[in-house]
Structure formats: structure tokens, C-alpha cells
Amino acid sequence: MKLIISEKEIAARRIAHILAGNGVDQEKVYGVPVHHFKIDGEDYRVIGLKGHILKVDYPKEYANWFKVDPIELIDAKIEKIPIQKKIIQALNKISSDADEIIIATDYDREGELIGYDAMQLVKEKNALAPAKRAKFSAITPKGINQAFSKLGRIDLDLAFAGRARQDIDLIWGATLTRFLSLSTYQIKDKFLSVGRVQTPTLTLIVDRELEIKSFITTPYWVVSVKLKTESGEEFEATHKKKRFLKKEDAQGVFIKLGDRGTVLGINESVRDIKPPTPFNTTALIISGSSIGFTASKTINIAENLYMNGYISYPRTDNTVYPSSIDVKEIARMLGSSGEYSRMSEAVLAQKKIVASRGKRRSTDHPPIHPTAVAQKAGLSSDEWKLYDLIVRRFICTLLPAAKIKIIIATIDINGEPFIANGSNFIEQNWIKFYPYYKRRDVFIPQLKEGQIITVTGKELLDKKTKPPVRYTQGMLVEKMEELGLGTKATRHTIIQNLILRGYVSGNPLQPSEKAIAVVKMLKKHAEKISSPDMTSELEMYMDGIVRGDETKEDVVDRSRKMLSEVMTVLQNEKDEISQEIKKAIREDLVVGKCPGENCNGDLIVRTARKTKKRFIGCNAYPECRTTFSLPQRGLLVTIREECKHCGYPIVKIIYKGRKPWDLCINPDCPGKDEKYKNYNNNK
DNA sequence: GCAAGGTC
């Protein structure tokens, strides 16, 4: 019997069907599906794993944070521990009769490691069976048949590069997390996490917040006019010098303006607006963000749609349709749904269909596209929203660019030049079907040089320069991808973790004082872990392992030495680090101003001495005895906002896996019922 | 109880 091991169940099923056609039987071994079939009298079995089946961790002796100095974790032994017990049992059971093992996990570094781990487990039961490797970049008949007709061997160096990554992430993460948590007494569920990906990501958010805080707004003035042609068409223009930095200058112009203007010149140009590129995971998350979904929500819904067969695999880097995908056929299929018939026709009416393509081309999976027609009634409203987005995006990638006419007219008013901008779509093409695209027509009438225009109104506008905006989850995922932080499958979980740790909240993301202090201290004393460079260096070293230039041990040991040096600095600066972070944590506990009569105090989150329950009290205690109760479960985040119903402070309560709950602390708040209702609807 | 990476 030949045993084929794939990375996931769906891949196992498809590989079996491609190799055997219809003659595939399925049995369950310890509840795990195993597909079997015969080719030329030879028995085959295919089992799908669930990603990694082993994890790395320290031995039990290191589990107690108080009994182990974090420094010891740097050189401690690391073990591999089973995390998919059922799958391992099933693998053990079926591997004893195998006379050949074929590793058919995804063809990338983690896939090689997953396959290597599985191979080692099989070899414990069956040392004699040779192990081979099927390398394919798409689970299509062509890809699979080619791979199985030309089997290779497991690339040990590639797997070891993955193992180096696992070890280094654990060593740095565990050592620094424990050090920071212990030195600030933030333990149990309040621990302060640190990691190769999460800390640089948090640094991005914190840096942006500091930029916003230190931004100095400068005032400027804009002069604009309302205009009308003889035939009564109205439009607007602003002074050519868009921003006046001195009010007197703007006023000087404003006063000069009379009630007539002359068209000095008109500049017309036609521009293409290209259709969007095919969706990869990052682009989907960004678009999801623009329809109000968090990164995790988009991924969870996409995962569901995929499991139910409506869309293709949602974890991909690829933005170029491979030739194995028949885009025309998919467009035709979508046409059978009333919702999309017009869009489908628009695609099929073209003489030649040219698909747009993005910059990233990889062969892991195709871009995310619809694979079946869904009925609106068969999906939840959120599922439908995302499905509709994916369908429309797909259709648009197959349509020609929109054409837009841009008109810029210069108009003289008493010697002052004004500019009127307008744009009209000449051909909408894909834009008709893509409501997520924001650009709209801006009307401007047909003008002639020398034409006289009536000035019907004039305005002198006070404006201010604005600070940069906070990151939305979508923007952050995009930035992470650009910097090489995390992967398509992990970026949203990294953000989710930062929220769960109490480091950031809200969308757009705002860091807590604790996060600002943690980043400040790590930047100052452990710069390595706060920068994306650590990831790019790691990638470089892993490439070295793959090439055979160095061993996994060399790389991990060098990393251990670096961490030792970092820890020496941190130990020396422990007092400063501890004080700065603890001060910030105290600031995070401030809920808002105390509403007590004649009280100037601040409301603070406190813990009752006897019951250990949390509540809100005034810092002017015992003079002021104002208190408020709080829910005991969930992560509490102070956001220093006031309730729009009663003006009392609002706190955010975050339960794992639920939508954050904005809670007004006032038990008699007139908006209470409404809010509670909303909370129930949204959870 | 720590990380990041797979997948559900």
C-alpha cells in the first residue's frame, strides 16, 4: 500500500479523485477521513493532516514562570509536542502496512516541515518504507499527475529552515514575554507579550499614534466661488493658489472679487481607470475593511464560504489568474443567477476577455474567486456581503478600463486666477458593477475660452492641516505584507492578539498607554525585536540553511547569542522598564472624570480587596465615595469617551471571539436599553 | 499562561 499524506483534508480528497477518477472509497480511522483506491492493482491511501501536527515547546520543568529565570529559556531544550492527537493516532494505525510514503503537503517551507514531521512519525512505526515527495503548485489534474509521475525526496534543509524559525520564535517570544511580564508584575491573563511579528506590528501602530499626538496643525485659508453660466448651469471653482498661509493674503483676494469672470483656458484630457486586480488574501482583507469588517471577520466568513464551496481557497498571495482557471466559464456560470446576469453578459459580450493582473504572482493557489452560484436567501447577510464583493471583484477583473474625461478650466475674476475641476465618465465599464469604488462624476459645464461667467457667491474658508490617520485593520495588513511581517494566514491573528493583549483597540486601531510604553522601552533597550529587520534577517539565514551554507544549529545558536546580549541590557535597565510600563498601566486604568458633585477626581478601575472583583471608584476616595460596578468577565479597555446619552464615561469590554461592547458605566443611562439591544444583535 | 505558523 502506498500512503499519501497531504496538508489538509480537502487536498487529500482532491488528490485522491484526480489520481483515481471515480473509484475512491472513504473510511474513517479514529474519526479521520482516509481515502483509498487502486491503480493497476496497487492499493493507495490518502490522509489529510490539519496543518502542523506537532508544536515546539519547552519541557514541563520550565512551565512555572516564577521558578524559572527567563534567561534560562535561551539555552533550554526544546521539544516537539503532538497537537493533533486523532490525526497522529490515525497516521500510526494506517502507516504500518505502507510500503511507500508520499509526502504531498503544500510546496513551501512550512509545508516541507509539516511533511517532515509526519514522515518522522510514520518512520517510528514503519522504518523500512521509503519516503518520497510530490511537489505541486496547484491541485489540478496537470499539477498532480506531473508531481506523482516524478516523485522527489523531502528537502531536509528546507524543513530544517522551518524548524529554525520555530525555535527562534519560541526562544525570543517566551524569554522576552516572561521577562517583561515578570518585571512589571503583569501575570496570568495580563501578561505582556513580545514577538518577532507582533512587536514590530505594534510599533507601527504606536509610531503612528505618536506622529498624530505630536502633529502641529497649521491654519490655512481657501478662497472659493460659486459660478453660473448664461444658460443657468452652476459649478464651483477655487483660487489657483489652493492654500493661503496668511489670512490677509486670502482676504486681499476675497475683497477684490467682483461678480463676473472670464474663462481663460480649458484643458481636457481622457484617462483610463483600470479595473481592480484579482483578490489575494491581503486585498480581500483591505476591501473587507472598507465594508466595515475586521480582518478576522473577513477571514472567518471567507473560510465559511470556501468550506461551502462558494469561493476558492481564501489563503493565497497570488494576484494573477493561472491558465488552469477558465474565467469565461465562471463568468457564464455566474450569469445563471439573476443578481449577476447583466454583469456576466458584459463580460461575455467582449470579443476577447483580458483579465487584469496584480503585482504578486505565486503558484500556491489561484486568486480568490467564486466557484459556485450562491442564493442570497441561502447565506447570512454578512456572508452575502462578502460573497457579493468577491463576485463583483471577479467580474470587474474581466472588464475593460473605465474612461474618464478630466476638465480643468482657468477662470479669471478681476485679475485673480481660479480653477474649476470636473470629471465625467465617458465609459463606465467595470465601475457600473463595483459600488466599492468611490470616485464620482463632478459636474462642470461645457465652457469656451473667453466666455463670461457670473459669480453668484464667494467664500473665505478657514481650514487646518490634518494629522495622518490611524491604521485601519486593512491598512495595517497591507503594511505588514509590504514589510514582510507575518504571512497571509497569520496577519489577521496577529492583530487579533494585539487586541486581546490590551495593546490596541478600536477600528481604526488605537494603542493603549501600556502599548506605547512597551514599544518605547523595547525600542530603547531591545531594538532588534521592535523592528521588521529581524524578520528579513531571519529570512536571509533560512535561505542560507536551504542552500546548505549553514546548519539550523548554527543559525539558532547565533540567534541565542544575540538574545543573550539583548537580555544583559534589559536586566541592567529593569528598573526603568518596570517603572515606565507600570506608570502607563496606571494611566490606562483611568476611566474618565468623576461625575460626583463638587468632585474633581478621576474614576479609576480598581480591584476590591476582599472579593477581588473589579469596580470603578474615584481617586479622591475617601472624600468621594462614588463607585460603579463592572462586568467581571472580559478584557476591559478604557477609551475615555463620553456616552452620547448621559455624558458618563464609556468603557470597552472585549470577550474573546465577540464584537467589542461599548458600555456606559451609568446604570441609569437613558440609552441603556438601546445599547444592550444592539449588543445582543451584534454578538 | 509565553511566539508564529499551519488549518477548522
Side-chain angles (χ1 to χ4, degrees):
Chain A
M1 183 266 286
K2 295 188 179 189
L3 174 61
I4 300 171
I5 301 172
S6 75
E7 188 156 324
K8 41 191 171 271
E9 160 56 17
I10 183 117
R13 202 156 61 213
R14 282 166 58 189
I15 290 170
H17 281 94
I18 289 169
L19 291 177
N22 289 325
V24 183
D25 285 327
Q26 199 203 92
E27 59 174 327
K28 293 238 172 150
V29 181
Y30 296 111
V32 180
V34 175
H35 310 269
H36 55 97
F37 54 89
K38 269 190 180 78
I39 301 176
D40 301 334
E42 175 79 56
D43 248 332
Y44 283 82
R45 285 176 186 223
V46 194
I47 184 170
L49 308 176
K50 286 187 178 174
H52 284 287
I53 49 174
L54 305 177
K55 66 164 185 177
V56 290
D57 207 349
Y58 292 108
K60 280 198 300 294
E61 311 84 272
Y62 294 90
N64 190 319
W65 289 31
F66 297 104
K67 292 186 180 153
V68 178
D69 187 329
I71 292 264
E72 286 181 49
L73 297 178
I74 299 177
D75 291 308
K77 200 181 124 205
I78 292 174
E79 294 177 336
K80 289 220 114 176
I81 295 156
I83 45 171
Q84 297 291 349
K85 302 246 167 73
K86 284 263 165 63
I87 297 228
I88 292 172
Q89 273 182 331
L91 203 55
N92 280 337
K93 179 137 193 234
I94 58 177
S95 59
S96 44
D97 343 311
D99 40 48
E100 185 175 304
I101 301 148
I102 302 168
I103 303 295
T105 47
D106 293 0
Y107 186 33
D108 54 28
R109 192 171 55 225
E110 295 295 326
E112 206 70 10
L113 177 56
I114 290 165
Y116 173 79
D117 284 342
M119 183 180 83
Q120 292 300 106
L121 285 175
V122 170
K123 290 217 155 162
E124 283 173 21
K125 297 279 155 191
N126 184 341
L128 296 177
K132 296 185 175 163
R133 175 76 160 117
K135 295 174 187 171
F136 49 87
S137 48
I139 310 181
T140 54
K142 192 176 152 209
I144 292 298
N145 287 322
Q146 255 177 20
F148 279 80
S149 67
K150 208 175 69 188
L151 293 168
R153 300 174 67 170
I154 276 270
D155 182 342
L156 294 180
D157 289 332
L158 187 56
F160 290 162
R163 181 62 204 267
R165 188 218 33 89
Q166 285 185 317
D167 286 2
I168 289 171
D169 281 341
L170 175 66
I171 296 168
W172 282 74
T175 307
L176 293 173
T177 296
R178 286 199 198 179
F179 169 81
L180 216 59
S181 303
L182 288 168
S183 46
T184 51
Y185 306 109
Q186 296 296 302
I187 37 165
K188 299 240 170 106
D189 55 343
K190 286 189 286 193
F191 69 87
L192 301 175
S193 59
V194 181
R196 170 179 60 85
V197 177
Q198 62 167 276
T199 303
T201 304
L202 184 59
T203 302
L204 291 173
I205 301 169
V206 166
D207 283 352
R208 178 61 59 89
E209 192 71 16
L210 297 179
E211 253 180 83
I212 295 169
K213 275 188 179 165
S214 64
F215 186 85
I216 300 164
T217 59
T218 48
Y220 67 92
W221 290 267
V222 171
V223 182
S224 83
V225 289
K226 286 196 168 36
L227 304 168
K228 200 180 198 174
T229 61
E230 294 129 8
S231 50
E233 294 156 315
E234 293 180 325
F235 62 108
E236 286 178 22
T238 48
H239 192 273
K240 190 173 184 181
K241 184 175 180 168
K242 283 178 192 143
R243 296 179 172 196
F244 289 92
L245 299 180
K246 287 186 187 156
K247 192 171 184 180
E248 308 91 85
D249 294 350
Q251 246 159 352
V253 168
F254 185 75
I255 293 164
K256 263 174 80 179
L257 300 179
D259 53 10
R260 276 156 68 98
T262 314
V263 177
L264 286 185
I266 302 150
N267 189 326
E268 286 188 4
S269 57
V270 174
R271 235 186 49 213
D272 277 357
I273 303 177
K274 286 188 186 152
T277 53
F279 267 149
N280 65 3
T281 308
T282 302
L284 179 67
I285 289 174
I286 294 164
S287 284
S289 209
S290 74
I291 56 169
F293 292 173
T294 62
S296 288
K297 185 166 180 170
T298 297
I299 291 298
N300 290 339
I301 298 171
E303 187 73 42
N304 255 332
L305 291 171
Y306 160 67
M307 283 299 161
N308 290 311
Y310 294 122
I311 63 167
S312 61
Y313 192 65
R315 284 183 281 269
T316 174
D317 287 323
N318 201 354
T319 54
V320 179
Y321 296 123
S323 57
S324 58
I325 287 188
D326 188 346
V327 290
K328 194 172 175 182
E329 186 47 44
I330 298 171
R332 188 172 294 132
M333 169 194 82
L334 291 167
S336 69
S337 147
E339 300 274 349
Y340 303 119
S341 55
R342 278 187 50 233
M343 298 181 210
S344 169
E345 279 162 26
V347 172
L348 299 174
Q350 300 174 92
K351 268 190 219 132
K352 191 164 182 256
I353 298 174
V354 181
S356 68
R357 43 201 293 144
K359 283 192 194 118
R360 279 182 148 249
R361 182 174 202 172
S362 66
T363 51
D364 52 353
H365 296 278
I368 303 164
H369 63 276
T371 50
V373 175
Q375 299 304 324
K376 199 169 183 173
L379 299 179
S380 74
S381 77
D382 283 345
E383 281 170 345
W384 177 258
K385 265 192 213 163
L386 197 71
Y387 176 77
D388 187 52
L389 169 66
I390 292 167
V391 170
R392 286 171 186 273
R393 177 72 161 222
F394 172 77
I395 294 278
C396 290
T397 61
L398 306 180
L399 289 171
K403 286 200 187 310
I404 192 170
K405 185 158 96 175
I406 295 173
I407 304 145
I408 302 167
T410 313
I411 295 155
D412 175 278
I413 305 173
N414 286 9
E416 293 293 336
F418 279 74
I419 304 286
N421 271 311
S423 57
N424 308 104
F425 284 109
I426 303 169
E427 285 170 36
Q428 286 219 323
N429 293 329
W430 64 272
I431 287 179
K432 273 203 291 288
F433 304 124
Y434 206 66
Y436 316 101
Y437 183 78
K438 292 286 180 276
R439 184 167 194 145
R440 298 281 172 266
D441 283 349
V442 180
F443 176 76
I444 183 169
Q446 194 65 52
L447 299 169
K448 281 201 303 276
E449 236 179 88
Q451 188 176 340
I452 306 294
I453 307 282
T454 312
V455 180
T456 57
K458 54 179 185 174
E459 265 185 307
L460 177 58
L461 302 163
D462 282 10
K463 301 254 185 180
K464 266 187 257 169
T465 53
K466 284 193 201 124
V469 294
R470 293 194 175 111
Y471 284 105
T472 62
Q473 293 197 11
M475 288 158 66
L476 189 62
V477 167
E478 190 176 25
K479 188 79 185 166
M480 288 171 79
E481 184 181 76
E482 185 190 316
L483 295 170
L485 291 170
T487 71
K488 62 201 179 226
T490 60
R491 289 184 193 114
H492 70 280
T493 355
I494 298 281
I495 299 176
Q496 207 53 34
N497 259 334
L498 293 176
I499 295 171
L500 231 47
R501 295 285 101 93
Y503 280 141
V504 299
S505 65
N507 196 12
L509 295 157
Q510 188 178 356
S512 59
E513 294 299 324
K514 174 172 91 179
I516 295 174
V518 164
V519 166
K520 182 177 167 192
M521 287 300 101
L522 290 177
K523 259 190 174 178
K524 193 164 167 190
H525 304 302
E527 210 270 331
K528 190 109 225 153
I529 196 76
S530 72
S531 150
D533 297 352
M534 181 164 170
T535 294
S536 29
E537 273 175 36
L538 179 61
E539 292 288 345
M540 220 170 62
Y541 295 141
M542 285 194 294
D543 288 346
I545 298 175
V546 175
R547 280 196 309 268
D549 290 350
E550 13 181 26
T551 65
K552 177 219 152 199
E553 283 69 28
D554 293 341
V555 169
V556 176
D557 282 344
R558 191 167 55 225
S559 187
R560 286 186 165 114
K561 281 210 188 73
M562 264 161 29
L563 179 57
S564 281
E565 285 162 23
V566 168
M567 281 302 287
T568 309
V569 177
L570 287 174
Q571 302 266 31
N572 287 336
E573 308 295 340
K574 195 167 162 177
D575 287 346
E576 185 202 349
I577 293 167
S578 165
Q579 277 164 28
E580 282 261 352
I581 295 174
K582 282 197 289 194
K583 192 176 107 209
I585 289 168
R586 281 195 299 276
E587 283 172 47
D588 281 332
L589 292 177
V590 176
V591 171
K593 283 278 157 225
C594 178
E597 272 175 55
N598 307 321
C599 181
N600 262 333
D602 281 331
L603 293 178
I604 313 272
V605 179
R606 295 182 182 282
T607 308
R609 209 165 291 163
K610 278 186 194 158
T611 59
K612 301 277 183 216
K613 286 188 171 175
R614 66 184 176 194
F615 70 102
I616 293 171
C618 180
N619 68 350
Y621 180 88
E623 282 75 38
C624 175
R625 290 174 175 268
T626 304
T627 62
F628 295 92
S629 61
L630 280 171
Q632 294 305 309
R633 288 179 44 235
L635 172 76
L636 189 148
V637 182
T638 56
I639 49 174
R640 270 160 239 165
E641 281 174 25
E642 287 175 0
C643 174
K644 63 172 193 257
H645 297 281
C646 64
Y648 278 53
I650 289 174
V651 293
K652 212 180 257 297
I653 307 283
I654 302 168
Y655 294 109
K656 208 171 177 170
R658 285 198 197 162
K659 191 179 196 293
W661 174 25
D662 285 343
L663 171 72
C664 170
I665 64 165
N666 177 7
D668 304 319
C669 174
K672 205 88 195 169
D673 292 342
E674 182 195 323
K675 254 181 217 129
Y676 194 70
K677 210 167 63 201
N678 281 341
Y679 167 64
N680 273 329
N681 285 343
N682 287 335
K683 74 179 177 186

